[in-house]
Amino acid sequence: MYKVKITDSFSSAHNLREYEGNCERLHGHNWQIEVSLKGEQLDELGMLVDFRELKKEVKKILSTLDHTYLNDHKYFSRVNPTSENIAHFIYKKLKPKFSDKMDKVTVWESNNSAAEYYE
């Protein structure tokens, strides 16, 4: 089994609806994202996936979130913009392109707090 990972980041603001505590108020994060793909077969070049292609697709998704108020985003108008839901959103956006290789998406909202989504 092979596994590849890339990291990226974006900055945004949000607040958690119906949450009792500080996170109910508007605040921001510099989110760190890790995307992991896995598979048993390499291509003819010896790659599971071209890092350049994976990075390009992740950048497309993150560009829709970067420097925004997440609560205004169509997806997050229906679900709270938690780290868990951000990981789910990114995973589902990547899955059509890398369906058989998707492993997990990890979203770090701080140096010591992260959420993962995988199927």
Side-chain angles (χ1 to χ4, degrees):
M1 182 69 69
Y2 298 94
K3 187 179 279 194
V4 297
K5 297 179 184 181
I6 62 120
T7 61
D8 206 332
S9 63
F10 72 97
S11 300
S12 67
H14 71 153
N15 65 288
L16 301 182
R17 296 178 291 272
E18 308 298 322
Y19 183 82
E20 292 184 22
N22 289 342
C23 294
E24 186 176 26
R25 294 194 301 265
L26 178 65
H27 64 285
H29 295 282
N30 293 314
W31 309 90
Q32 295 293 318
I33 309 301
E34 181 178 277
V35 175
S36 173
L37 303 182
K38 66 180 179 180
E40 295 182 12
Q41 299 295 320
L42 302 180
D43 66 14
E44 64 280 352
L45 297 175
M47 291 187 235
L48 181 65
V49 65
D50 186 340
F51 281 120
R52 184 174 49 185
E53 185 64 23
L54 178 56
K55 289 176 186 179
K56 180 179 91 173
E57 294 301 319
V58 170
K59 285 249 182 254
K60 278 189 215 175
I61 297 164
L62 298 187
S63 71
T64 69
L65 305 176
D66 192 35
H67 285 81
T68 66
Y69 175 50
L70 293 178
N71 297 61
D72 285 343
H73 189 281
K74 183 180 176 181
Y75 181 80
F76 297 111
S77 69
R78 298 185 314 271
V79 299
N80 247 344
T82 61
S83 296
E84 294 88 342
N85 284 328
I86 294 168
H88 179 260
F89 172 77
I90 295 168
Y91 186 101
K92 291 297 190 179
K93 288 290 190 180
L94 287 171
K95 189 168 182 176
K97 181 78 174 179
F98 303 104
S99 59
D100 60 331
K101 296 180 178 75
M102 285 302 300
D103 182 29
K104 65 183 174 180
V105 173
T106 306
V107 174
W108 294 85
E109 68 174 45
S110 70
N111 289 338
N112 54 10
S113 299
E116 293 181 345
Y117 180 82
Y118 59 94
E119 295 179 345

